[in-house]
Amino acid sequence: MPVYTFYCCRPDGAAPSFEMFELASDEAAAERAAQLLATHPSASHIAVCDGDREVLVERRSSVSDRSAREPQAADQHA
C-alpha cells in the first residue's frame, strides 16, 4: 500500500506539520485529508503527496461545499 504524506498548510502556504498514513487508494487519501481539516482548525488546506507525486489539495472551502450538497439524515426521511 502507498504511504501518503499530508501537509497541514496555513493560508500563506507554510506547512508547520505533516502526517503520514499507509492507505489503499487516492480516494482513501482524500477522505483522510477531509478528516485532518476537521482536526486542524489552523490549516486552510491539506496537500497530499504519494512520494514525489502530488495527489491532491483539499481546501477547507471544498469540504464545506461538499457537506452542503450531501443530504442530511433528517432530509432523507422526510
Side-chain angles (χ1 to χ4, degrees):
M1 265 194 277
V3 175
Y4 293 87
T5 306
F6 296 77
Y7 297 95
C8 303
C9 301
R10 296 185 306 219
D12 65 2
S17 67
F18 69 92
E19 298 186 28
M20 298 176 78
F21 299 97
E22 188 174 352
L23 299 168
S25 66
D26 289 358
E27 291 79 17
E31 291 175 16
R32 180 60 60 107
Q35 293 169 354
L36 285 174
L37 275 176
T39 60
H40 291 272
S42 64
S44 65
H45 61 284
I46 306 290
V48 183
C49 296
D50 172 13
D52 291 336
R53 179 175 70 96
E54 184 177 302
V55 176
L56 65 98
V57 175
E58 184 74 57
R59 300 194 180 280
R60 190 168 296 285
S61 60
S62 63
V63 171
S64 298
D65 292 346
R66 192 173 330 133
S67 295
R69 289 193 305 265
E70 293 175 357
Q72 299 299 316
D75 295 339
Q76 293 174 356
H77 298 292

